[in-house]
């Protein structure tokens, strides 16, 4: 099915960012929310996103108007979905709201329009439980902000067809995303589980007194994360093994690695007081950074986004 027009249902942090991204790639977008006041904020967010992209020479100032013109705003569901082929839902993260929205959407949307939920962790089978067409439901979990970060994690429910997964994947690729498909549902999907695995070990090292939180961060940023920003950990290990490859590398270091694995964190809950400790340490380490690489939460966020844009340009993703 050819996707010609997209609806974004829910215009909050994620919905307005999705709308920015789809419009940026040339799609007409219907942005829906329950109240005009949310749409007004969304319009301001989209304008700010585009202004930032223009500042970073991803688009020109003249293009801002044209891209903004591709987004229509409505509080009427029929207007939002009656002639779209792809629906990206980003409403509140609970089954009740998602079920109510689906009942409304299915009254007016074409029966074969793909319905992708931005859900961060609800089950698609459960989201599509009362749907008339559960076969067209996927999870399309973005990484914030979706107009910049390429990753989308696609999940399917029990009744989702493979054709819908493939069509969703093709659409996300067409807007410059890097979709990954979960073959079965898993809490936290892929990327959040990997993040927690890394942060559990950071916690272990710091609480054992092996290093400071700041140095654990540097050990990630200026070590593995630089390489992970280029390719996956398995490819990195393959290169690490030289001619021997990933298998040869692990045969060589297996004895050592087994000792590390025995010694590494495998607990199930963060220790009491850990997050209060983190907050104090992070506030201190941010304040101690040179000003030009961000030494307040706001300037650090700006530095992060500037670096992100530079990396995405290197990846040909902008
Ligand atoms: N914020 C993140 O970092 C992030 C990342 C990935 C995925 N998500 C997921 O994206 C979804 C949206 O999250 P968010 O952070 O944008 O939330 P948000 O609170 O910023 O936005 C939610 C929007 O949904 C609207 N809404 C509420 N009820 C509605 C209804 N019945 N019909 C239409 N719209 C309705 C609200 O008015 C609001 O504008 C959630 O499922 C969340 O789990 C969030």
């Amino acid at each position: 099915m050819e996707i010609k027009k997209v609806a974004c249902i829910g215009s909050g942090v994620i919905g307005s960012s999705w709308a920015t991204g789809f419009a940026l790639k040339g799609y007409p977008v219907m942005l829906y929310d329950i109240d005009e006041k949310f749409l007004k904020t969304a319009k301001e967010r989209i304008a700010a996103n585009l202004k930032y992209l223009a500042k970073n020479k991803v688009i020109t100032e003249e293009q801002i108007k044209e891209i903004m013109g591709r987004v229509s705003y409505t509080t009427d569901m029929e207007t939002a979905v009656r002639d779209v082929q792809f629906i990206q839902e980003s409403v509140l993260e609970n089954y009740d709201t998602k079920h109510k929205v689906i009942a409304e959407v299915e009254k007016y949307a074409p029966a074969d329009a793909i319905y992708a939920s931005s859900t961060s962790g609800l089950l698609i089978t459960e989201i599509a439980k009362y749907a008339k067409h559960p076969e067209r439901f996927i999870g399309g979990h973005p990484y914030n902000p979706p107009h910049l970060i390429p990753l989308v994690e696609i999940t399917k429910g029990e009744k989702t067809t493979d054709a819908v997964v493939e069509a969703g994947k093709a659409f996300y690729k067409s807007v410059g995303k890097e979709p990954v498909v979960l073959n079965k549902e898993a809490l936290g999907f892929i990327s959040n589980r990997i993040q927690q695995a890394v942060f559990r070990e950071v916690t272990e090292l710091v609480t054992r007194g092996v290093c400071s939180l700041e140095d654990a961060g540097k050990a990630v940023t200026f070590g593995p994360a630089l390489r992970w920003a280029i390719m996956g950990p398995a490819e990195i290990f393959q290169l690490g093994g030289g001619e021997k490859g990933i298998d040869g590398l692990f045969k060589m270091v297996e004895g050592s690695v087994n000792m590390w694995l025995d010694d590494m964190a495998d607990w199930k809950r963060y220790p009491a007081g850990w997050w209060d400790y983190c907050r104090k340490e992070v506030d201190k380490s941010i304040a101690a950074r040179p000003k030009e690489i961000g030494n307040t939460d706001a300037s650090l966020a700006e530095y992060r986004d500037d670096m992100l844009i530079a990396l995405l340009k290197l990846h040909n993703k902008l």
Side-chain angles (χ1 to χ4, degrees):
M1 186 215 322
E2 197 193 345
I3 289 161
K4 295 187 189 136
K5 193 173 179 185
V6 181
C8 290
I9 308 298
S11 69
V13 173
I14 295 299
S16 55
S17 176
W18 271 125
T20 308
F22 295 143
L24 185 68
K25 294 293 174 180
Y27 285 95
V29 180
M30 298 300 304
L31 184 53
Y32 169 92
D33 212 307
I34 44 177
D35 195 295
E36 292 289 348
K37 71 176 181 225
F38 300 124
L39 293 173
K40 186 171 170 284
T41 308
K43 196 171 183 178
E44 287 161 6
R45 281 201 185 111
I46 295 171
N49 292 341
L50 293 174
K51 218 164 172 226
Y52 183 73
L53 290 176
K55 187 188 125 200
N56 282 281
K57 309 220 174 320
V58 176
I59 54 172
T60 61
E61 286 286 340
E62 295 72 54
Q63 280 176 295
I64 294 181
K65 206 170 157 218
E66 181 192 330
I67 298 167
M68 289 290 294
R70 289 192 199 116
V71 186
S72 306
Y73 303 81
T74 183
T75 53
D76 178 52
M77 186 62 90
E78 183 176 3
T79 310
V81 299
R82 70 181 159 216
D83 58 352
V84 303
Q85 295 77 37
F86 193 92
I87 299 156
Q88 182 77 45
E89 168 268 299
S90 313
V91 301
L92 304 179
E93 182 74 349
N94 63 72
Y95 286 121
D96 260 7
T97 310
K98 307 252 187 223
H99 290 155
K100 275 184 205 139
V101 166
I102 290 165
E104 273 295 289
V105 166
E106 286 203 315
K107 271 193 224 165
Y108 307 111
D112 57 352
I114 296 172
Y115 187 108
S117 174
S118 297
T119 179
S120 301
L122 302 177
L123 299 173
I124 292 305
T125 304
E126 208 49 40
I127 286 179
K129 195 168 164 182
Y130 307 113
K132 279 193 272 179
H133 296 287
E135 69 283 353
R136 48 126 145 215
F137 280 70
I138 52 172
H141 175 236
Y143 230 56
N144 193 26
H147 70 282
L148 290 182
I149 305 262
L151 180 67
V152 185
E153 297 180 309
I154 299 183
T155 47
K156 47 187 171 180
E158 273 164 18
K159 296 188 176 154
T160 313
T161 62
D162 289 342
V164 165
V165 171
E166 283 312 309
K169 198 172 157 188
F171 170 67
Y172 283 131
K173 275 193 179 167
S174 80
V175 290
K177 301 279 125 199
E178 279 293 338
V180 296
V181 178
L182 274 79
N183 297 322
K184 17 167 121 164
E185 294 198 85
L187 292 171
F189 308 130
I190 302 169
S191 55
N192 280 332
R193 292 175 79 114
I194 293 171
Q195 284 204 123
Q196 287 306 320
V198 170
F199 210 70
R200 175 161 61 183
E201 195 52 38
V202 166
T203 307
E204 179 71 15
L205 290 164
V206 175
T207 53
R208 257 201 228 178
V210 175
C211 62
S212 66
L213 186 59
E214 187 180 5
D215 277 354
K218 283 185 186 167
V220 177
T221 305
F222 297 109
L226 276 176
R227 306 194 304 195
W228 290 339
I230 305 164
M231 65 187 85
E235 285 78 10
I236 288 293
F237 283 147
Q238 169 87 351
L239 299 185
E243 284 172 6
K244 296 192 205 83
I246 186 169
D247 50 332
L249 175 68
F250 274 88
K251 275 177 203 143
M252 192 170 70
V253 295
E254 199 171 3
S256 280
V257 170
N258 286 346
M259 285 194 285
W260 310 342
L261 289 172
D262 285 341
D263 193 45
M264 284 166 65
D266 59 3
W267 40 260
K268 299 291 180 195
R269 294 289 180 274
Y270 284 99
W274 169 241
W275 297 113
D276 292 338
Y277 172 82
C278 278
R279 179 60 200 258
K280 285 189 197 113
E281 289 298 299
V282 171
D283 281 346
K284 259 194 285 172
S285 67
I286 291 177
R289 290 167 65 92
K291 195 168 173 239
E292 56 282 8
I293 59 165
N295 61 357
T296 59
D297 285 5
S299 59
L300 191 54
E302 204 177 325
Y303 176 69
R304 177 202 59 196
D305 290 348
D306 290 349
M307 293 290 269
L308 191 55
I309 296 257
L311 276 171
L312 289 168
K313 282 184 180 168
L314 286 173
H315 274 290
N316 273 330
K317 288 287 173 198
L318 275 179

